[in-house]
Amino acid sequence: MSKGEIGVYRRHRPESTALYEVVRDNLETLFGAIDDGALAVRIPKHARAELLAYLECGLLCRGFARLKCRECSETRLVAFSCKGRGFCPSCMGRRMCATAANLIERVLPPSTPLRQWVLTFPFPWRPRLAQDGELLGRLTQIFVETVQAFYVRRAAHEGAIGAKTGAVTAVQRASSDMRLNPHLHTIALDGAWSEQGNELVFSGLGHLKTSEVGVVLEHAVRRIERHLDRRGLLGTREDDLDLSGEGDPECNLASSACSGQSPPAGPQWSSGLRPLRLRALAYDKPLCASLDGFTLHAATRAGGLDAEGREALLRYVLRPPIAQERVEQRPDGLVRITLKKAYADGTVAVDMDPLSLLCRLATSVPLPRFHTIHYAGVLAAASPWRSRLKPSLPPTAEDVEPEKRVRKSGYRPWAELLQRTFLLDVLSCPSCQGRMRLIAVVKNPAGIARYLAAAGELTEVPGRSPPRAPPYWKSQVLRRQALGDLGQGRGHHDTDHEAA
């Protein structure tokens, strides 16, 4: 399909994907292993509910909307989503597109350059941060304030006294191999705004030095340490948090998902994974710095006139943690996740037991009532400058079709998101290219079953596979460990595959 050409929509069938099959075939086994005490972990209630809801996402048998062509009476069915917040590729993809579009058209000042600042936390801290939403939110605030203070100082150095800047931060919870890794993606206005008379004037950052990235990281780390020290959360070593919940089943699950090397969320078979070594401030790459287990990356920037680049950057920081096409079931029973970008040691994929993947999926679900998107500075809702900087909505003519009219709210219809993101017009009739309209929303189970039976579609959710008997695992290494007959000195490479 050439650039700009609108494609033909085909209904997505999640039940045929590898990720769906992994969850469907192993979820009851995971629950059974936990109930039997074989795994000393507990799946949080909100994560368990999301795993179960994922198995019903996108299935017509759980309800659908019916569209009908105005010209030829062609019909189309659109299934309901699970509205997941953790790992569902479809629902997270919709949220990604809707949030990015809302930021571009209703929040971010037009023609303003954007820079991404990515902060990762030390490994020993990650289980606690994943379970303590209040603490993670406070550390997020400290980091964003530090970044904004840097921009304000640079603007003051250039003569812009009283300047302000803004940022949007997305809190991600997983690495590319789905290990638990709470980290921050902050999209900052790459400069600062100052008031001159009755107008707001933007002063760009200009050239950013790698040493300045190190200064920002050092200031943020010291502020974080002081905050934790005041709360009594720092242990006897400065690089360790007091994990007061260690030993709790949910904490055991989080710790396993962070390391990826011990059951139930591990191990994973790859190469080059080494324990973290804390060190002083260092610069590994241009515009990248590391200090005491923290890392800060600020090399990604989108110019003010690069409209596509700005939206692509926003989609990147809001992306789902896992993609359907990167999950593969191996003949030996393991699950392979192909990495989008190879690790520094050359690893391009990791293999793991299906139960390990399910545990990682569970830990990727945010805590209830925890906001994963944070607005700060001039972009915050309470800022008096936000209304002066945000883009103005274009006027809408009265003769424009309803689905193409500009809405005052931030809600984005599903059809608009598909066309904006994938160049697919779901409201275009496949037979006559006429326009389709919504005529019914079917939720009654009897009506759903009757309609789908006539259409030749599934009328029931595919049944979950029954739990496997002990030792539950499909990995030969973990089965031997569980049975207690793993020979001393034998490594995992003797039976299971390495990552590609």
Side-chain angles (χ1 to χ4, degrees):
M1 185 172 64
S2 61
K3 185 175 181 180
E5 181 181 351
I6 303 299
V8 178
Y9 168 79
R10 293 181 178 85
R11 188 176 77 83
H12 175 59
R13 296 181 179 273
E15 66 274 15
S16 63
T17 63
L19 180 60
Y20 185 95
E21 293 173 353
V22 170
V23 177
R24 179 196 64 198
D25 296 342
N26 297 277
L27 190 58
E28 288 299 326
T29 299
L30 176 63
F31 291 162
I34 294 175
D35 294 340
D36 291 346
L39 300 180
V41 300
R42 180 173 62 244
I43 304 295
K45 183 179 179 180
H46 65 278
R48 178 185 288 255
E50 187 144 333
L51 285 167
L52 293 172
Y54 170 71
L55 294 177
E56 300 181 359
C57 183
L59 299 183
L60 295 175
C61 52
R62 284 306 184 191
F64 55 87
R66 185 185 177 197
L67 307 179
K68 185 176 182 180
C69 179
R70 298 170 179 171
E71 306 296 334
C72 67
S73 300
E74 176 80 14
T75 60
R76 171 176 289 160
L77 304 182
V78 180
F80 297 151
S81 67
C82 67
K83 299 180 176 61
R85 301 178 64 229
F87 62 88
C88 177
S90 177
C91 297
M92 294 293 290
R94 185 195 197 287
R95 182 175 286 111
M96 171 191 71
C97 299
T99 306
N102 183 67
L103 289 171
I104 288 293
E105 296 184 358
R106 301 173 187 270
V107 178
L108 297 175
S111 304
T112 303
L114 306 175
R115 184 178 296 274
Q116 177 187 219
W117 299 75
V118 183
L119 178 71
T120 61
F121 297 98
F123 274 91
W125 295 19
R126 295 177 184 179
R128 173 63 180 269
L129 294 178
Q131 299 177 85
D132 192 335
E134 181 181 356
L135 178 60
L136 180 57
R138 178 55 184 150
L139 299 194
T140 300
Q141 182 182 1
I142 291 174
F143 171 67
V144 174
E145 288 176 351
T146 305
V147 173
Q148 291 187 108
F150 164 73
Y151 279 105
V152 171
R153 288 195 303 270
R154 280 287 298 266
H157 182 73
E158 300 295 331
I161 306 300
K164 300 179 182 179
T165 187
V168 179
T169 301
V171 181
Q172 293 277 5
R173 290 178 59 90
S175 302
S176 56
D177 57 1
M178 290 304 296
R179 282 186 297 168
L180 183 60
N181 176 21
H183 59 285
L184 310 178
H185 289 260
T186 296
I187 300 297
L189 305 180
D190 203 29
W193 292 83
S194 59
E195 198 165 20
Q196 297 182 7
N198 295 326
E199 295 184 356
L200 295 178
V201 180
F202 181 75
S203 302
L205 177 66
H207 178 66
L208 178 64
K209 300 178 182 178
T210 301
S211 60
E212 292 176 317
V213 177
V215 170
V216 172
L217 177 60
E218 192 167 15
H219 287 177
V221 170
R222 299 311 169 220
R223 285 192 61 190
I224 289 173
E225 289 179 342
R226 288 196 298 269
H227 173 74
L228 296 175
D229 190 41
R230 287 194 300 269
R231 291 190 56 185
L233 292 176
L234 279 179
T236 56
R237 293 171 49 189
E238 292 184 353
D239 61 336
D240 198 9
L241 265 176
D242 180 15
L243 300 178
S244 57
E246 192 167 4
D248 177 79
E250 290 186 14
C251 184
N252 293 340
L253 176 63
S255 299
S256 174
C258 281
S259 69
Q261 295 305 300
S262 59
Q268 68 183 31
W269 289 276
S270 60
S271 59
L273 187 62
R274 298 179 177 88
L276 180 67
R277 293 183 178 181
L278 305 182
R279 57 182 181 178
L281 183 63
Y283 304 100
D284 303 322
K285 300 177 183 178
L287 299 182
C288 299
S290 60
L291 173 66
D292 293 346
F294 291 85
T295 62
L296 181 60
H297 181 283
T300 305
R301 182 181 183 273
L305 301 180
D306 185 5
E308 292 185 1
R310 280 163 41 105
E311 187 163 355
L313 179 59
L314 293 170
R315 289 179 185 171
Y316 172 77
V317 304
L318 298 165
R319 70 196 183 281
I322 191 170
Q324 302 271 21
E325 62 273 12
R326 299 190 183 279
V327 180
E328 174 189 358
Q329 294 199 76
R330 306 290 297 166
D332 56 5
L334 300 183
V335 181
R336 170 165 294 180
I337 297 180
T338 304
L339 307 178
K340 185 176 182 179
K341 183 179 180 181
Y343 289 158
D345 61 6
T347 300
V348 296
V350 293
D351 295 346
M352 66 189 73
D353 191 272
L355 298 187
S356 299
L357 177 58
L358 291 189
C359 289
R360 299 187 188 193
L361 294 177
T363 59
S364 71
V365 182
L367 297 170
R369 296 174 295 279
F370 176 80
H371 295 284
T372 58
I373 309 294
H374 299 259
Y375 299 85
V378 298
L379 303 182
S383 172
W385 286 13
R386 173 166 169 164
S387 60
R388 301 170 62 183
L389 294 175
K390 69 178 184 179
S392 56
L393 296 177
T396 303
E398 295 182 358
D399 58 345
V400 175
E401 297 180 8
E403 63 267 17
K404 295 184 179 180
R405 292 178 182 174
V406 177
R407 295 171 177 82
K408 294 183 179 181
S409 69
Y411 172 75
R412 301 277 173 171
W414 173 69
E416 178 184 337
L417 291 175
L418 281 178
Q419 184 165 348
R420 184 185 184 107
T421 308
F422 304 109
L423 293 179
L424 296 175
D425 189 358
V426 69
L427 297 180
S428 176
C429 176
S431 299
C432 67
Q433 284 69 53
R435 304 303 295 170
M436 307 189 83
R437 62 185 180 90
L438 177 66
I439 61 172
V441 174
V442 184
K443 297 182 179 180
N444 181 269
I448 292 173
R450 183 170 59 254
Y451 190 96
L452 295 182
E457 296 281 355
L458 293 176
T459 58
E460 295 289 341
V461 175
R464 300 194 295 271
S465 299
R468 295 188 294 274
Y472 304 110
W473 307 98
K474 288 190 174 181
S475 163
Q476 294 300 317
V477 169
L478 294 177
R479 291 178 65 88
R480 289 170 181 259
Q481 288 179 346
L483 294 173
D485 61 351
L486 182 61
Q488 187 175 5
R490 290 189 51 153
H492 60 257
H493 297 290
D494 296 334
T495 50
D496 283 322
H497 294 287
E498 286 190 46

